[in-house]
Amino acid sequence: VRAMTMSKSLRCIALFVALMQVYGTATAKGYRWSCTYSDKVSPAGIETDAHLKLDFIFDDVTRKVMVLGNNGSDVDVHIGSSAISFMEKLETGSVQTTVISFAGGSTHSRHTLLSDKDFVPSQYYGHCTKE
């Protein structure tokens, strides 16, 4: 009788764990923004055919972000009333920041350090679609 009760308990625990995994997966939402930037401003001047493409994938449960199309590292997210922002913290200590308005307009700012004396800032202008 004790073995039978223990077996039922184990089955109940297994069922509970399986239901929690399904429920957790069902409530998690992944969001993806596909961004295209055609205009770029840098110390070299204005470029109107920059052709930069970045995709941001955001998991609203873990609040983790993955950037495709860039050599990204740690990415932080900030969600406000009108936009979502992503900030990549690079090994050099510099950051790359992307702001996407809920209407779809976007800027991507790079603060690139090639060495401790070689600083290359740039800003891209474009549009993102939420998929």
Side-chain angles (χ1 to χ4, degrees):
V1 174
R2 186 173 185 185
M4 203 176 203
T5 304
M6 192 169 184
S7 177
K8 283 184 181 180
S9 295
L10 289 174
R11 282 193 301 237
C12 286
I13 290 170
L15 178 61
F16 178 74
V17 169
L19 287 173
M20 289 303 290
Q21 288 176 339
V22 168
Y23 176 74
T25 302
T27 59
K29 291 183 183 174
Y31 297 95
R32 180 180 184 135
W33 288 267
S34 182
C35 304
T36 303
Y37 302 93
S38 57
D39 297 333
K40 174 185 174 183
V41 177
S42 71
I46 298 172
E47 187 179 328
T48 58
D49 58 349
H51 302 295
L52 176 65
K53 182 159 175 44
L54 299 173
D55 289 312
F56 296 89
I57 300 171
F58 172 65
D59 183 312
D60 70 338
V61 173
T62 64
R63 296 191 60 86
K64 293 194 180 213
V65 180
M66 185 168 69
V67 182
L68 306 175
N70 202 2
N71 291 331
S73 53
D74 294 332
V75 179
D76 291 336
V77 63
H78 172 67
I79 303 171
S81 61
S82 301
I84 186 166
S85 296
F86 303 106
M87 185 174 70
E88 296 177 72
K89 298 175 183 176
L90 305 177
E91 281 187 33
T92 61
S94 64
V95 296
Q96 296 185 9
T97 306
T98 303
V99 178
I100 304 170
S101 77
F102 293 149
S106 180
T107 59
H108 175 71
S109 300
R110 291 185 172 182
H111 310 278
T112 305
L113 283 168
L114 301 176
S115 70
D116 62 345
K117 296 179 184 174
D118 198 8
F119 184 67
V120 184
S122 59
Q123 185 157 20
Y124 293 80
Y125 302 90
H127 189 80
C128 302
T129 53
K130 188 174 174 186
E131 299 173 0

